[in-house]
Amino acid sequence: MREITASGQTVEEAVQSALEQLDTTRDQVEVEVVDEGKKGLLGVFGSKPAIVKVNMPSDPVEQAEEYLQQIIEKMGIPAEVTTEVSGTQVNFNVTGDHIALIIGKRGQTLNAIQYLLHLVINKDRNHHYSVLVDAEGYRERRKETLESLARKMVDKSLRLNKEVKLEPMPAFERKIIHHALQDNKQIATSSEGEEPHRYIVIKP
C-alpha cells in the first residue's frame, strides 16, 4: 500500500495534490482528513493549510503474481508467469524449463503454491478471488488422469460390490471426480476425513 500526506488551501486541493503524486484517480484511493485547515483573516493572516493522508491499496492480483515470481526465483527455476483475470477467477500459468520441479509429485508442489497464492490474494479483502495455478497444461492432464482413475474405481467397486477409498486429494481435484461420476446411478460418492487428508469414497 502506498501512502502520501499532502497539503493545500482546501481539503480538495490537498487531495488533488496527492492524486497527482500517486498518478491515480479519486475512486482508486482512501482519503483521511488530518486537518481541514483554516482560512484566516482576509484569507491570508493566520491561515492554516488543509492536510490529508491518501492511501492507494496495492492490486491483489499484481501482489499475488509478484509473490509467485518470488517463489519460482527462490526455487532457482527459470520460468515465466502469465496471468488471466475473469471476474473473480484468477489463473496463473507458469512456463519454462524444469517445470516438473514446480509441479511436484502428483501436483503436490503446484497445489501448495496455489494454496499460498489463494491466501495472499484474499488477505484483508472484502471480495473473494478463486485462484488456479497451472504449469504447461498440467491441470488438464491431471483432470484426464483423475477421470480415468474414477472410472477404474467404479468398476472395482461394482465388481467387488463394496466401497473403495481413493487417495487424499485437494478439494478442487475431488470436485473433478464427483463431477465425472455424478450421472452414474449405479454408485454414490462422498468425501470423508479431515483436511488436508480428505478423500473420496465410491460405493455401490
Side-chain angles (χ1 to χ4, degrees):
M1 182 179 286
R2 293 175 65 196
E3 182 180 277
I4 277 186
T5 302
S7 60
Q9 287 187 329
T10 64
V11 168
E12 268 313 305
E13 276 187 27
V15 170
Q16 194 54 45
S17 170
L19 293 177
E20 285 169 11
Q21 291 177 67
L22 288 168
D23 192 24
T24 187
T25 54
R26 181 69 181 78
D27 59 329
Q28 300 294 314
V29 298
E30 297 161 2
V31 176
E32 179 193 342
V33 179
V34 178
D35 194 327
E36 290 187 357
K38 194 166 130 191
K39 274 195 175 175
L41 189 62
L42 302 175
V44 180
F45 302 108
S47 66
K48 199 172 160 194
I51 301 170
V52 295
K53 267 187 190 172
V54 177
N55 294 318
M56 187 163 78
S58 55
D59 180 272
V61 176
E62 282 179 19
Q63 209 174 2
E65 185 178 325
E66 283 172 20
Y67 185 67
L68 175 55
Q69 286 170 333
Q70 284 171 12
I71 291 173
I72 293 166
E73 280 171 25
K74 290 220 163 64
M75 291 174 77
I77 300 166
E80 283 185 15
V81 176
T82 53
T83 305
E84 289 178 10
V85 183
S86 177
T88 56
Q89 176 65 46
V90 185
N91 296 340
F92 298 101
N93 190 42
V94 185
T95 55
D97 300 327
H98 310 297
I99 285 298
L101 293 172
I102 293 174
I103 295 169
K105 186 181 178 185
R106 291 182 186 163
Q108 286 177 344
T109 307
L110 199 63
N111 292 343
I113 291 171
Q114 180 169 294
Y115 176 70
L116 289 172
L117 288 188
H118 173 82
L119 294 180
V120 167
I121 206 169
N122 289 304
K123 189 183 176 208
D124 303 327
R125 307 288 174 201
N126 293 327
H127 56 278
H128 183 84
Y129 286 97
S130 296
V131 177
L132 181 78
V133 181
D134 199 1
E136 301 277 15
Y138 170 78
R139 293 294 183 201
E140 187 57 38
R141 295 195 302 276
R142 177 68 173 160
K143 180 173 179 278
E144 289 168 5
T145 300
L146 289 170
E147 288 171 346
S148 173
L149 173 69
R151 288 191 292 271
K152 283 179 189 167
M153 292 298 105
V154 164
D155 291 343
K156 183 178 178 181
S157 176
L158 294 173
R159 191 174 69 251
L160 300 175
N161 195 30
K162 68 176 188 179
E163 67 177 39
V164 292
K165 296 174 183 176
L166 278 64
E167 65 192 34
M169 58 185 73
F172 66 92
E173 290 194 345
R174 295 197 306 271
K175 190 175 176 183
I176 290 170
I177 290 182
H178 285 305
H179 187 263
L181 301 180
Q182 67 183 1
D183 294 330
N184 191 325
K185 306 301 180 194
Q186 292 180 285
I187 51 96
T189 64
S190 61
S191 287
E192 297 182 12
E194 297 296 321
E195 295 289 6
H197 306 293
R198 272 177 80 76
Y199 56 89
I200 285 182
V201 176
I202 298 172
K203 48 188 124 177

